[in-house]
Amino acid sequence: MEMVDWNLAVATATRLVRPGPEVSREEARAVVAELRRHAKSSEEHVRAFTRMAVSGGPASDTPVLVVDRAGWIRANVAGFRQILKPLLGKMQDRRGGLPGGAVLGAVGGKVTGVELGMLLSFLASRVLGQYETFAPSTRELPGSPGGGRLLLVAPNIVHVERELDVAPHDFRLWVALHEETHRTQFTAVPWLRDHIESEIQAFLGETDVDPATLLERVREAVQSLSGGRPADEGDEPDGHGAPSIIELVQTPAQREILARLTAVMSLLEGHADYVMDGVGPEVVPSVAEIREKFQKRRASGAGRLDQALRKLLGLDAKLRQYRDGERFVRAVVNQVGMDGFNRVWTSPNTLPTKAEISKPAEWVARVHRKAES
């Protein structure tokens, strides 16, 4: 019996996820077709702006899938199952040696499946698009032979464009530009996927694999939120306030790995934001209005429960990654130009550190001085 009942996670999430916005069948078809067109046209815009050449090979042939919320759930469960396989195998081996381990495994797998499903149902109505780096290919959700596929979540895009009251054509292209930038990052930089996967596996390898300890730490996180103030209210950028799940399972070695992962994710998200706005004025006439309204929505949250879950899952840290990463990219491009910035993709050694994300001049001094000496 697996540590997580993955089928139950999918069933729970799809049962609990909110229904999407009301659209007619004809409108739904039109949205899907337009998103596919935008994804295709975004390739040329992004590659011209970033000057990133996509290498040939299997990783460059990544499909674009326009999905509903249930499709996003299935894709992400498959991705979680793939990336967590080594960690869960270790935990299962340890549990198997305990008295009653088989029974505990059966019950625990179902409980964990329900809990994962509940979290995915929360996220499935919020994600607009996603480049899935580690997705296994299936008949229903094909991926590239080298790993990866781009997802655009049609009902969520329609929901947000209506909520913000922005031009649908412009908003859909704007979202496609962001996600296409992520696809370009991974297809133009062949070592990036393996580097991130090795960092994630190193992080998971350092995890305390005692299931009881892990569950207790998650329980502590939930309890710390139950009586606290809203997560975004008065929290400092350095993360004071209730800890997220990921913050609770860190060893000293994990903190070092997490700092590197935070830096690279800030780079990737900030770069995508910079590109979508940089390309925007020529192809998205209302980009300034969209960005202003979207930033307000990003920062506001949707009530106390939403804020608490964002904090617990570490999503508030992701919002800071967009902001800090975009500032880093903008500052570096302003100082050394796009070609100078693109030295960031040379090797893992030229990626910015967490400190350099906040101080771009230090990255410029390190990478460019070293290259020119």
Side-chain angles (χ1 to χ4, degrees), residues 166-208:
V166 293
H169 172 84
D170 287 5
F171 185 73
R172 294 167 193 175
L173 178 54
W174 189 69
V175 171
L177 288 168
H178 182 102
E179 302 309 329
E180 175 56 36
T181 302
H182 285 317
R183 182 164 66 159
T184 297
Q185 290 162 348
F186 283 93
T187 54
V189 185
W191 54 264
L192 185 59
R193 179 188 184 276
D194 288 344
H195 171 70
I196 291 177
E197 183 174 19
S198 69
E199 292 279 57
I200 291 173
Q201 292 304 335
F203 181 89
L204 295 176
E206 287 288 332
T207 299
D208 183 345

Side-chain angles (χ1 to χ4, degrees), residues 25-74:
R25 183 169 296 182
E26 292 74 18
E27 185 179 2
R29 286 200 199 98
V31 170
V32 170
E34 184 173 20
L35 286 172
R36 286 178 176 151
R37 289 196 304 272
H38 286 331
K40 184 64 178 175
S41 66
S42 292
E43 293 181 26
E44 183 179 347
H45 295 312
V46 168
R47 294 172 191 180
F49 183 81
T50 62
R51 303 181 193 174
M52 296 175 73
V54 174
S55 59
S60 62
D61 185 25
T62 52
V64 176
L65 306 180
V66 181
V67 298
D68 58 11
R69 291 170 178 176
W72 181 88
I73 288 166
R74 289 192 295 273

Side-chain angles (χ1 to χ4, degrees), residues 10 28 33 54 67 83 85 93 116 132 146 162 200 215 226 265 290 292 295 299 301 319 321 327 357 366:
V10 171
V54 174
V67 298
I83 201 71
K85 189 179 295 183
D93 289 344
L116 176 60
E132 278 202 302
R162 290 178 179 179
I200 291 173
L215 288 174
S226 61
M265 297 312 296
I290 290 173
E292 181 182 2
Q295 288 288 69
L319 298 182
Q321 288 173 6
R327 288 174 180 169
I357 287 288
R366 175 173 67 87

Side-chain angles (χ1 to χ4, degrees), residues 211-290:
T213 301
L214 188 60
L215 288 174
E216 179 60 29
R217 290 180 177 177
V218 172
R219 195 171 298 117
E220 288 172 4
V222 175
Q223 290 172 351
S224 72
L225 290 165
S226 61
R229 66 189 190 287
D232 295 337
E233 186 179 304
D235 275 359
E236 295 297 324
D238 60 0
H240 292 317
S244 69
I245 288 175
I246 202 167
E247 290 170 328
L248 286 170
V249 297
Q250 290 177 55
T251 65
Q254 282 180 309
R255 282 193 288 273
E256 293 182 10
I257 298 167
L258 190 60
R260 296 195 297 269
L261 278 170
T262 298
V264 71
M265 297 312 296
S266 296
L267 171 69
L268 298 180
E269 296 294 359
H271 183 236
D273 264 14
Y274 178 80
V275 171
M276 72 195 295
D277 288 348
V279 173
E282 292 189 10
V283 297
V284 183
S286 60
V287 65
E289 177 193 358
I290 290 173

Side-chain angles (χ1 to χ4, degrees), residues 19 28 50 53 109 121 231 298 334 366:
T50 62
S121 73
R298 230 185 215 175
N334 286 344
R366 175 173 67 87

